[in-house]
Amino acid sequence: MGATMISSWLLYSLSAAAFWGFTNVIDQIVQRNYAKDSVSFTLVSSFVRLPIGLGLFFLFGFYVPSMPVLLMTFFFSFLSMAGVFFYLRALHIEEVSRVMLLGQSMPVFVLFLSFLFLGETLTLSQILGFLVLLFAGFLSVAKFSVSGKFFSDATIWAISAVLMWAISNTLLAYIMRSVPSGQMLLPWSYIGSSLSAVVVCFFPTVRKEFSWKSFSWLRNRHGFWLFMLSVLPTVPGFYFFFRAFAVGKASLITVALGVQPFFVSFFLFLLGFFFVSVPREDYAFRPMMIKMSAFVLSIVGLWMIQ
C-alpha cells in the first residue's frame, strides 16, 4: 500500500471524525432541550435516513450490488443501529464520560477481529502509533474523580455497543473488498438503517417505552431544524467513512477515529457563541492540560501510523 493511499485513508478518517463531532454536539442540544426520550430520537434518526438514502442514488448512481453484498450491507447497518441503541441505554444509567471511556476500547476489538478474519497486519511503527492513539483516546475522555466505582450497570450496555460497532467496522472492511467504490454502498447503508429501525422497534425495552407522545418534540420548530442540522452532516461523515474503509486498514481507521472527542470539544467551544443551550466544557487548568496532552499524543500517534 503506497504512501498516497495511506495518506488518503487518514484524511478520510479525520474528515469523518470532524463531521460526526459536529453531529455529536447538535445531538446533545436536541436531546437535552427537545427530544428527552432517547428511543424516539433514535427511531426518528433512523427512519429519516430512508429518503436520504433514496436521494443519494441521484448523487452516486443506482448501483445494485450482489445479493450477498447487499445482505451484508444491511447487516452492517443493523449492527451499527444496535450499537447506537445500546450506547443510549448506557447513557441513561451512567455519565457520558465513562461511557465514552469504554467506547475508546473499540480499536482493540477491531484490531483482533481484522487480524483474525481479514488477515490485516501492522508494522512496528503502526503498532506503536496504534497504542499511542489508544492511550490518547482514553485520556481525552477520562475524568479523574474519586466518586463511585468505575464499573456500573451501564458497563454491559456500553461493552455491547462497542462489540456491535467493532463487528460492523470489520464487516464493512470485508464488504469493501467486493465493490468497485465505497460510496456506491452508501445509499443502501442508509436504507438498511431505516429497515433496522423497524427491527429495533420489536426490542422488548423499546416496545415498553414506545409512545406516540414521545415524538411531540418534532412539532417544535427549533427542535425540528436542529434535528435536521444533526442528521445532514452524517452524510458526508459516512461518505468519508466508507471511502476510508475502501482504501485503508480497519484497525488503523478505527483508532484514528478516536480523535473525535477533540472535534467535539472544538465545536462545543465554537457553537457556544451561537447557542446558549450548548453544554459547557470544563476549562479549568487540570482538565485542559490533560486534553492538551491527549491532543499532542494524538498528533504523534497519527504521524506514526502513516
Side-chain angles (χ1 to χ4, degrees):
M1 187 176 295
T4 302
M5 188 169 293
I6 293 177
S7 61
S8 64
W9 71 257
L10 184 55
L11 178 61
Y12 293 146
S13 301
L14 295 178
S15 298
F19 279 105
W20 288 342
F22 177 82
T23 297
N24 290 157
V25 175
I26 304 300
D27 282 347
Q28 288 185 54
I29 299 175
V30 175
Q31 291 193 68
R32 289 191 178 194
N33 298 279
Y34 303 100
K36 302 298 179 65
D37 183 352
S38 61
V39 171
S40 68
F41 181 83
T42 305
L43 292 178
V44 173
S45 299
S46 299
F47 284 127
V48 78
R49 292 188 180 192
L50 178 59
I52 294 177
L54 295 175
L56 290 176
F57 281 124
F58 292 96
L59 289 178
F60 303 122
F62 189 72
Y63 170 73
V64 181
S66 64
M67 184 56 65
V69 171
L70 183 60
L71 292 177
M72 285 190 291
T73 302
F74 284 166
F75 188 50
F76 157 80
S77 300
F78 171 75
L79 291 173
S80 300
M81 176 68 184
V84 172
F85 173 74
F86 293 143
Y87 173 75
L88 292 176
R89 298 307 302 174
L91 289 181
H92 271 290
I93 305 172
E94 187 56 88
E95 62 184 36
V96 64
S97 62
R98 293 192 176 185
V99 176
M100 289 185 68
L101 192 61
L102 288 169
Q104 293 296 330
S105 65
M106 182 170 59
V108 177
F109 292 101
V110 176
L111 178 64
F112 173 75
L113 292 173
S114 61
F115 172 77
L116 190 63
F117 295 104
L118 303 177
E120 289 187 358
T121 57
L122 305 180
T123 65
L124 178 60
S125 176
Q126 289 174 333
I127 292 174
L128 293 175
F130 179 94
L131 295 175
V132 170
L133 280 170
L134 190 65
F135 177 72
F138 278 108
L139 195 61
S140 67
V141 296
K143 279 191 176 181
F144 300 95
S145 64
V146 294
S147 58
K149 57 184 180 180
F150 177 78
F151 292 105
S152 67
D153 294 335
T155 302
I156 186 65
W157 291 110
I159 293 298
S160 297
V162 167
L163 288 175
M164 291 299 101
W165 287 331
I167 296 172
S168 68
N169 282 7
T170 307
L171 178 61
L172 180 61
Y174 177 79
I175 295 172
M176 287 302 168
R177 298 179 175 185
S178 306
V179 294
S181 181
Q183 67 266 26
M184 290 182 174
L185 289 179
L186 189 57
W188 292 110
S189 174
Y190 268 76
I191 293 173
S193 295
S194 294
L195 297 177
S196 300
V198 176
V199 178
V200 171
C201 285
F202 290 95
F203 283 14
T205 307
V206 174
R207 292 175 60 185
K208 182 180 179 181
E209 297 183 9
F210 184 86
S211 171
W212 289 110
K213 294 181 179 179
S214 301
F215 297 89
S216 60
W217 60 272
L218 289 168
R219 293 198 295 267
N220 185 291
R221 181 165 56 92
H222 295 290
F224 173 80
W225 287 112
L226 277 174
F227 167 73
M228 293 305 299
L229 185 62
S230 75
V231 170
L232 294 179
T234 66
V235 178
F238 273 105
Y239 169 80
F240 289 119
F241 181 70
F242 274 55
R243 290 296 300 271
F245 271 86
V247 296
K249 294 181 178 180
S251 55
L252 295 182
I253 294 169
T254 305
V255 77
L257 289 171
V259 303
Q260 188 170 329
F262 297 115
F263 287 108
V264 172
S265 296
F266 170 75
F267 286 118
L268 282 173
F269 174 78
L270 185 64
L271 294 177
F273 293 103
F274 304 96
F275 299 98
V276 295
S277 54
V278 171
R280 299 300 174 182
E281 286 275 86
D282 187 355
Y283 294 113
F285 177 77
R286 188 185 182 193
M288 287 303 297
M289 288 301 297
I290 292 173
K291 289 186 177 181
M292 288 299 298
S293 299
F295 179 75
V296 172
L297 285 174
S298 294
I299 297 299
V300 174
L302 291 172
W303 175 77
M304 292 178 71
I305 64 176
Q306 289 196 85

